[in-house]
Amino acid sequence: MQEQIFKHRETQILTVKEMKQDREAIIRAGQIIRQGGLVALPTETVYGLGANALNPDAVKNIFLAKGRPQDNPLIIHIEDASQAERYAKNIPPVYYELCRRFCPGPLTIILPKKDIIPLETSGGLETVAIRIPAHPVARAIIHEAGVPIAAPSANLSGSPSPTTAQHCVHDLWGRVDAIVDAGECSVGVESTVISLAGEKPILLRPGAVTPQMLKEFLPDLMIHEAVTEKLKEGVRADSPGMKYKHYAPKAKITILDADSREFTEYVNSQKKEGLFALCFEEDVPFLQVPYISLGKDETDQAKHLFAALRELDERGAQEVYARCPSKQGVGLAVYNRLIRAAAYQEHTLDGESEA
Ligand code: AMP
Ligand code: MG
């Protein structure tokens, strides 16, 4: 059994504003990881909590620092597609086709693992999840470390994923050796996860690489039912992360499937203490309650969702009505995160009916 006590660490902030000028910070981050330490680092999706993926003790510390259940496997981050051959076997040709089109980028591919990947990293599974991040700072740190970097999102388990270094400071100060600050993440939701390790390719988590984009290469791609619904009792969680509580702020969130007029009229009519609207830009002129706007389109909404969930807590929101995102493009990823934050509470407003 793993010791459950987390030992305090001196956390340092390593700022990278400009790659060439701030080279020292990158070298230091790579060194800490190579030596078995923990570093929160930026990627284009969200900040990751990185450690040497080949070092079981370092990986165990990721789980301790986050309070993450040990059966929830980690994604390993590598520099280029061909490096996967060191860590995975039975790699199908479509892996390379997908990498040519989408990598570096926000796509994670699950393959059967080689023995070099410790079971600690794979959460006890015989597969490994591989990603080639696009963020120049993440790429430079992987290069400096000289090892694949296991990195789940750099938040405490259950809380919204971090999209700024300040979010990492809030959750992980004293729990990691360093936090690399390179500003806000551009995508804002975690990578798309697909598995090529089973009989048929399956999408386990939606992200910025959408099912429509993937189907060009994987016409028989299935979408796991847990992407849009609560995992049913007895149904196997093909991705262990599916079964755990996620992204939850303290406030009770209810998603309202409604157009702008229905949404704003309904929310304005509610008289509740600590009420907030989590809305789109077009709703703002009509709202008479405190609100946080996610922006105008799906890309904006993805970028701002997690910061907005944290802000709701900071502003003391108790009850939140969230406008239901469209499920188009990256909107499916926004919806997938929001239904978890809302503990699957969703209602349709159609003019007359009460939510
Ligand atoms: P995070 O590390 O927070 O971005 O979450 C990674 C997600 O990928 C979790 O939902 C994991 O359960 C999932 N995952 C990672 N590795 C595997 C794997 N080998 N098989 C299935 N799911 C995986
Ligand atoms: Mg996570």
Side-chain angles (χ1 to χ4, degrees):
M1 264 299 275
Q2 177 180 319
E3 186 199 353
Q4 291 302 315
I5 299 157
F6 186 80
K7 287 202 205 78
H8 177 85
R9 285 164 189 252
E10 285 302 318
T11 305
Q12 56 177 308
I13 300 277
L14 300 168
T15 304
V16 182
K17 286 213 171 88
E18 211 270 312
M19 290 284 289
K20 272 206 190 106
Q21 219 172 295
D22 297 317
R23 190 91 213 113
E24 280 304 310
I26 287 169
I27 292 172
R28 181 76 195 115
Q31 199 177 39
I32 294 172
I33 289 177
R34 199 166 54 247
Q35 292 169 350
L38 297 180
V39 177
L41 53 94
T43 82
E44 70 277 22
T45 56
V46 301
Y47 273 71
L49 173 48
N52 178 356
L54 305 181
N55 177 338
D57 291 327
V59 165
K60 274 185 201 157
N61 284 326
I62 291 182
F63 288 89
L64 278 180
K66 271 181 70 80
R68 181 174 174 110
Q70 287 171 63
D71 70 346
N72 194 0
L74 307 178
I75 295 170
I76 72 162
H77 296 72
I78 59 175
E79 272 186 275
D80 64 63
S82 66
Q83 286 182 351
E85 287 155 29
R86 301 180 195 164
Y87 312 115
K89 57 190 181 190
N90 307 335
I91 304 178
V94 72
Y95 163 82
Y96 293 98
E97 291 169 28
L98 290 166
C99 288
R100 263 195 299 279
R101 172 67 181 79
F102 301 113
C103 302
L107 176 65
T108 295
I109 301 177
I110 296 171
L111 295 165
K113 82 170 188 73
K114 282 190 173 166
D115 290 344
I116 187 173
I117 297 293
L119 288 168
E120 284 79 358
T121 302
S122 71
L125 300 176
E126 286 303 327
T127 51
V128 60
I130 292 179
R131 180 159 110 77
I132 303 153
H135 197 297
V137 175
R139 297 183 63 75
I141 295 173
I142 300 169
H143 187 78
E144 279 303 323
V147 292
I149 298 184
S153 48
N155 52 298
L156 290 174
S157 222
S159 74
S161 296
T163 54
T164 65
Q166 288 69 40
H167 298 159
C168 302
V169 168
H170 181 272
D171 280 21
L172 297 177
W173 191 257
R175 293 176 164 260
V176 295
D177 300 296
I179 295 171
V180 180
D181 183 354
E184 193 186 5
C185 301
S186 58
V187 176
V189 287
E190 305 90 334
S191 59
T192 305
V193 178
I194 60 168
S195 174
L196 300 181
E199 256 164 48
K200 281 209 168 161
I202 184 162
L203 181 113
L204 300 172
R205 179 173 76 184
V209 176
T210 64
Q212 296 87 323
M213 290 156 85
L214 290 165
K215 278 190 174 158
E216 192 186 320
F217 299 86
L218 299 167
D220 54 348
L221 180 74
M222 299 188 303
I223 298 183
H224 200 287
E225 60 184 21
V227 165
T228 53
E229 282 166 35
K230 189 170 182 190
L231 195 66
K232 293 191 187 73
E233 288 287 326
V235 172
R236 202 168 69 111
D238 288 315
S239 195
M242 287 171 174
K243 59 181 191 241
Y244 294 113
K245 196 177 155 206
H246 261 96
Y247 317 121
K250 293 185 190 84
K252 173 176 176 278
I253 300 186
T254 305
I255 301 173
L256 299 178
D257 188 1
D259 64 23
S260 185
R261 191 186 57 80
E262 289 162 351
F263 177 78
T264 52
E265 281 180 3
Y266 181 83
V267 175
N268 289 339
S269 74
Q270 301 297 301
K271 301 276 172 279
K272 285 180 178 160
E273 187 92 2
L275 177 68
F276 272 73
L278 190 58
C279 66
F280 303 162
E281 196 173 279
E282 61 176 354
D283 307 323
V284 168
F286 307 103
L287 280 167
Q288 294 155 5
V289 302
Y291 64 85
I292 298 175
S293 168
L294 295 178
K296 61 178 188 314
D297 57 18
E298 289 86 10
T299 305
D300 265 1
Q301 291 155 20
K303 187 164 175 170
H304 299 132
L305 177 68
F306 288 139
L309 293 175
R310 286 176 181 263
E311 192 184 332
L312 286 169
D313 274 353
E314 280 157 26
R315 292 174 64 182
Q318 288 169 37
E319 178 109 29
V320 178
Y321 288 111
R323 177 111 184 258
C324 187
S326 100
K327 292 166 197 148
Q328 297 307 306
V330 72
L332 182 66
V334 178
Y335 179 73
N336 169 273
R337 308 313 190 267
L338 194 56
I339 49 172
R340 283 162 174 76
Y344 301 92
Q345 290 303 305
E346 180 181 346
H347 298 294
T348 304
L349 293 185
D350 47 10
E352 303 304 306
S353 73
E354 274 272 293

